[in-house]
Structure formats: structure tokens, C-alpha cells
Amino acid sequence: MPSLRPAALAVGAGLALLGASKALASPAMIRLGYSSCQGCHLSPQGRGLLTDYGRGIDDAQSARKGVYQTDAQRVRRLYQDLRVLAQATRSDDGASTDTSGAARLWYRNATALTGTVRFSGMVSADVPARDRQTTPVQPLPSQPQVFVRQALVEYMPRAGVLLAIGRDTLPSGVEIADQATYMRGRNAQGLTDVPTQAKLFLSSRRGQIAPYVFGPSGHEAGGFRSSGAGLVGETYLLGDRLATGISARVARNGTYDERLLGVFARLGLGAWGVLAEHDLTARRPRADGRPFDQHTSYAQVFYYPVDWLVVSMTAERLSVAAPLSERRVAWRPEVSARLSPHLTLAASVRREDAGGRPITRVLVQLYLKTVN
């Protein structure tokens, strides 16, 4: 099997190119006592559209410090927004430099069909279209320029219970919208991974458990169309300032049998906080071949000098055993300013060491969204 390194470098560059900033979601809100996502998001998985309460919090966390106007007596049937991420990237690997720009447009919608059933969807468009990127361990297929990232029917029979069936990202411990991470990209939760699935969220004030089953989305490369099942469970401690839990998943495709086990934590203490996750993935080739393990780690320390400004340092580590030996370490300081509910500006520098070859990427992101 060919070496993983050249192809993996291309994948890392592609993921960083369209990695969305923390403007997309904020597990860092645990610093204010929001241990779970469902306090502000329609979905307990987070990352999606905000409730009216969440919109008010979002507005209050911006430099404008406005007040979101809503009619408490009105039953809202439709939530939607339009989002744009424009990004400029400069990469330097010591031998050459490259400057590029890209943009992504999202439309998100959640429509209540009845009092207990709603449809949620998300469509994105990339300019320019993304190139095909593959690695021997996990090919990432050529993503359509216009891509359906979410199409779910959600059933909520009572408070704390939600069943979702359709296409979406899989649940994870640290639910980060930032796709430029090896934790997500190498653990089958990357940019193009939106498998067909059924997942159940059971939530209470003490914690949440989310079992799920999944099958291929149809966009995977041949031989890598996985099916399986998993579970994410977490509990809330220290007055809802600490969320800690485990994730587990079994999967099978035409190339590998996979077993994933992970631990994660989200901790917030006033203006400071930590997000961390470590996953172990054991892969066994379906044909002849040697089983091997993969470790992926993610940790972020963040600080809010004021509510609308966050400074963070992120560290990532990837370790793949023989025969696909690979070692990667990356550091990423970032500053992100939520200037208004509609506008966020972020800048970061990503320093990555891939087998002794350092790569530096400077990213500037402008993030716009509507609020209805």
C-alpha cells in the first residue's frame, strides 16, 4: 500500500481551506453554565439553528449587545438563515508559498410539520469547487459543489426525547463545527461525512445519551461505504460547568472493520475554558493485512476578555501505527471577534509538523449570517 504522507498532506490542506471558525457553534458556552447544546439550539446535537432564546443569547454575546425581538405568544413554525464564510489562506511549507481564497454559502431550515414533527435541512455551495482528496486509510470522495449536508425528519414526543432519521453528521463528544481538525477528519466525521442514520437523544438536567445506527450516504468512495452503530453519553458536573463522557462506535465497510472508543470533556470557569477529546480507532483489514491502531487528540484552551472576543490555542495530534505509519502535530492560535449577530471576523495561524516537514498556514475568515 502506498505511503500515506503525500496524500494526507493534500487532505490536511483541503480541510484547513474550508474549516469554519468557532462562529458556527460554541461549546465554549459551558463557561456560562450551558453544559448542553439544547439550551440554545433546536437540536440537542447543537451546531444547527438557534431557538428564540438562543438568538437572544447570540445577540447579547456580540459587540453590539443588542436585544433580539421576539413575540413570546407566537408559535414559530419556521426557522431559517443564510450564512457565508469567506476565507483567505496563505500556506508556506519551506519550499514554496501559496495564497488562495474560497467561500462557502449555507442555507439552513427547520420547519415544524406538526407539534411533534419537524423537518431540518442544510444545503451548502462552495466557490471554487473542492478538488478530490484521498488517503489510503480513508478516502474523502469528490464533494459536489452544491451539497446537501443535512436532511432530517425529527420526532419529539416529549421534552428530553428526540428521534432523528435522515442525513447528518454523526454525534460526537466535543461538537465542534471546525472541520479543520484531524479528530474529525480522520474519525469519519470530516467534511463530506453525512451518513444516512437514525439517532435518539435522551436528555435530562444530569446528562444526555445518544445511541445511533448509520449507513452509507452514497458519496463515499467504493470500498469505504460504512455501516454501523454508536453511542455518545455525557454527564454534567460542577454546577453544569463540566461535561464529561465517552463515545463508542463500530463500523464495517468493504475495506476495514473499525472500532472507535473516545473520552471527552468540556470545562468552563468564568472567562476561561478547555475542550478536549481523545479517540482510539482500531482497524482490521477485511482482506489480507495487518491490523493497526490510530490515536487522534484534540485540545483547546480559550479565554474571553470580553463576551464578544475570544482568544484560543488549539493543539491536535494524529498517530497511525504501521503499516500506514504517520505522526502529525499541529498548533493553532486564533482570535475571533463577534462584531454583531451578523458579522464575525477571525484570524489564525496553523503550524503543522508532518513527519519532519513543517507547514504554516495563515487564515483570515469573514463570517456573515442573517437573523430572522
Side-chain angles (χ1 to χ4, degrees):
M1 188 171 286
S3 171
L4 185 63
R5 291 178 179 173
L9 286 172
V11 172
L15 289 173
L17 178 64
L18 284 176
S21 75
K22 287 180 287 296
L24 287 173
S26 188
M29 287 293 288
I30 195 169
R31 71 187 181 91
L32 300 178
Y34 292 91
S35 54
S36 67
C37 301
Q38 60 187 338
C40 296
H41 291 268
L42 291 176
S43 170
Q45 188 171 339
R47 290 163 39 88
L49 288 163
L50 296 169
T51 62
D52 285 338
Y53 177 78
R55 291 167 188 264
I57 296 296
D58 183 55
D59 208 338
Q61 294 294 306
S62 72
R64 192 187 74 175
K65 290 190 180 297
V67 177
Y68 179 72
Q69 300 296 327
T70 183
D71 182 357
Q73 302 302 316
R74 181 166 69 96
V75 177
R76 183 187 284 265
R77 296 288 183 182
L78 172 65
Y79 289 84
Q80 61 181 340
D81 66 13
L82 189 65
R83 301 173 171 233
V84 179
L85 172 67
Q87 180 169 289
T89 307
R90 181 177 177 83
S91 301
D92 185 348
D93 63 3
S96 62
T97 60
D98 178 68
T99 302
S100 60
R104 173 169 290 165
L105 173 70
W106 290 266
Y107 171 71
R108 308 190 306 178
N109 179 292
T111 303
L113 304 178
T114 70
T116 58
V117 179
R118 71 170 174 245
F119 173 80
S120 297
M122 183 192 313
V123 180
S124 70
D126 292 323
V127 180
R130 292 178 62 244
D131 294 331
R132 182 178 178 88
Q133 303 159 354
T134 63
T135 71
V137 70
Q138 184 183 317
L140 300 178
S142 179
Q143 180 181 298
Q145 189 168 11
V146 177
F147 188 55
V148 179
R149 295 181 173 275
Q150 183 187 74
L152 288 175
V153 175
E154 298 171 296
Y155 173 55
M156 300 149 286
R158 64 177 184 273
V161 179
L162 184 145
L163 173 65
I165 300 175
R167 184 177 185 177
D168 196 10
T169 56
L170 294 174
S172 64
V174 178
E175 197 65 66
I176 303 171
D178 182 357
Q179 300 286 358
T181 64
Y182 289 107
M183 183 187 73
R184 298 188 66 80
R186 294 301 181 85
N187 285 355
Q189 296 183 53
L191 278 168
T192 59
D193 185 69
V194 287
T196 304
Q197 61 194 273
K199 50 192 174 185
L200 175 66
F201 293 92
L202 301 173
S203 308
S204 73
R205 290 189 56 83
R206 303 180 67 90
Q208 178 175 273
I209 186 169
Y212 60 89
V213 295
F214 67 96
S217 68
H219 287 276
E220 300 87 352
F224 291 85
R225 294 172 180 168
S226 297
S227 299
L231 175 73
V232 176
E234 63 185 38
T235 186
Y236 311 136
L237 306 167
L238 300 181
D240 290 340
R241 300 304 176 106
L242 172 64
T244 182
I246 62 171
S247 57
R249 183 172 68 241
V250 295
R252 169 177 289 194
N253 56 46
T255 305
Y256 295 114
D257 288 336
E258 297 183 340
R259 302 289 186 272
L260 179 146
L261 181 64
V263 293
F264 61 87
R266 306 188 301 273
L267 172 66
L269 298 171
W272 294 86
V274 177
L275 308 173
E277 183 165 353
H278 179 80
D279 295 328
L280 166 63
T281 305
R283 291 189 174 93
R284 180 180 297 276
R286 299 290 303 279
D288 293 336
R290 175 180 169 185
F292 61 96
D293 292 342
Q294 170 184 294
H295 293 264
T296 50
S297 302
Y298 175 92
Q300 179 191 109
V301 178
F302 61 83
Y303 172 64
Y304 281 79
V306 292
D307 285 340
W308 55 271
L309 181 68
V310 58
V311 180
S312 64
M313 172 64 79
T314 298
E316 304 166 53
R317 182 177 180 272
L318 169 71
S319 175
V320 184
L324 300 178
S325 299
E326 184 181 11
R327 299 291 185 274
R328 288 170 169 269
V329 177
W331 299 86
R332 180 172 143 185
E334 183 177 39
V335 177
S336 180
R338 191 185 294 264
L339 302 178
S340 80
H342 306 275
L343 173 65
T344 298
L345 183 63
S348 65
V349 179
R350 181 187 180 92
R351 177 75 173 183
E352 179 182 322
D353 188 313
R357 181 183 178 186
I359 303 172
T360 302
R361 298 187 182 92
V362 179
L363 297 89
V364 177
Q365 297 174 313
L366 178 66
Y367 184 76
L368 302 170
K369 68 175 182 178
T370 63
V371 178
N372 76 324

